[in-house]
Amino acid sequence: MIDTTVLPAFISMILAFLIPPGPDMMFMIAIGLQGGRTAAVKGILGIGTGMAFYAAAVTLGLGLVTARAPWLLSALMLLGAVYLLTLAWSSLRRGRDRGTQLQDAGVSERWYLRGLTVSLTNPKIILFFMAVLPQFTGTATSIPAQLAFLGAVNVMTEVLLYGGIGVFAGTFRNALMRKRGAQAVLNYVAALTYLGLAIFIVFDVLSG
């Protein structure tokens, strides 16, 4: 049996973490501006998949292994920073190519894999799950089932919230595309966002 009475307090806590602008939100805005609404949907599904993987790891107790190996967490985060730098570079090159077509930006990129890679290289998600989920076991008779349930709610909440933000950014992008040179500007904005996220991750790792 799982305890659903903890949901109001649990969702309130999740929203308190999700609503302030953070890396995932900025990443989704960048995807929406660069690739449009379809790209945003694919990107958030990738992020959701990565989060679901970490939630499952916590439920199975595998999160303890990762949490006890700080070097592994740092290595994964730095790998994510390198990946974001490659996205920044490719976006910058795309912005400089004024011949890029609207369709190319939305179709040629692997948006789902982008979201999945960024999510999987953010191991702090697993630390968040380990710190928060056990606080809401309530009167559940099966702790693993309760943790799995809470993990699913957490993933769904972020997918809906950040997915909506990404789609809104995509709608804004589609409106801007009527103006000449807008594609290049949006790619430059995306490049700066990816670069900023990469720098943030590096400083986070260096600061311990």
Side-chain angles (χ1 to χ4, degrees):
M1 275 298 280
I2 60 176
D3 183 4
T4 59
T5 62
V6 302
L7 279 182
F10 179 63
I11 293 176
S12 297
M13 175 174 283
I14 294 174
L15 291 177
F17 280 96
L18 295 181
I19 290 178
D24 282 355
M25 182 185 293
M26 298 307 297
F27 180 74
M28 285 306 304
I29 291 174
I31 284 186
L33 291 177
Q34 190 175 26
R37 290 173 292 193
T38 300
V41 172
K42 292 180 179 179
I44 194 58
L45 289 178
I47 288 178
T49 302
M51 290 184 64
F53 172 81
Y54 281 130
V58 170
T59 301
L60 296 173
L62 299 178
L64 293 173
V65 178
T66 307
R68 291 173 181 172
W71 64 269
L72 180 58
L73 296 179
S74 297
L76 283 173
M77 292 176 69
L78 289 175
L79 181 62
V82 171
Y83 180 67
L84 286 169
L85 287 175
T86 64
L87 292 183
W89 175 245
S90 65
S91 298
L92 180 62
R93 292 182 60 186
R94 185 184 293 275
R96 294 174 61 184
D97 181 10
R98 298 183 181 276
T100 299
Q101 298 298 318
L102 174 62
Q103 305 92 288
D104 295 338
V107 176
S108 63
E109 302 291 346
R110 297 180 177 179
W111 304 108
Y112 174 83
L113 290 179
R114 282 193 182 193
L116 178 61
T117 302
V118 167
S119 184
L120 290 179
T121 53
N122 181 20
K124 283 197 169 183
I125 295 174
I126 204 169
L127 300 180
F128 173 83
F129 283 150
M130 290 178 62
V132 174
L133 299 190
Q135 299 181 36
F136 295 91
T137 53
T139 59
T141 56
S142 173
I143 299 302
Q146 181 76 3
L147 294 178
F149 170 68
L150 294 174
V153 171
N154 195 336
V155 172
M156 185 176 298
T157 302
E158 178 158 343
V159 166
L160 291 176
L161 178 61
Y162 287 171
I165 290 174
V167 168
F168 177 79
T171 301
F172 179 73
R173 179 247 193 193
N174 290 343
L176 283 178
M177 288 309 300
R178 301 189 185 117
K179 298 183 178 180
R180 185 177 181 182
Q183 178 69 68
V185 172
L186 292 177
N187 278 306
Y188 287 140
V189 171
L192 288 175
T193 303
Y194 295 141
L195 177 61
L197 291 176
I199 294 174
F200 174 82
I201 291 173
V202 171
F203 273 104
D204 194 19
V205 171
L206 294 178
S207 65

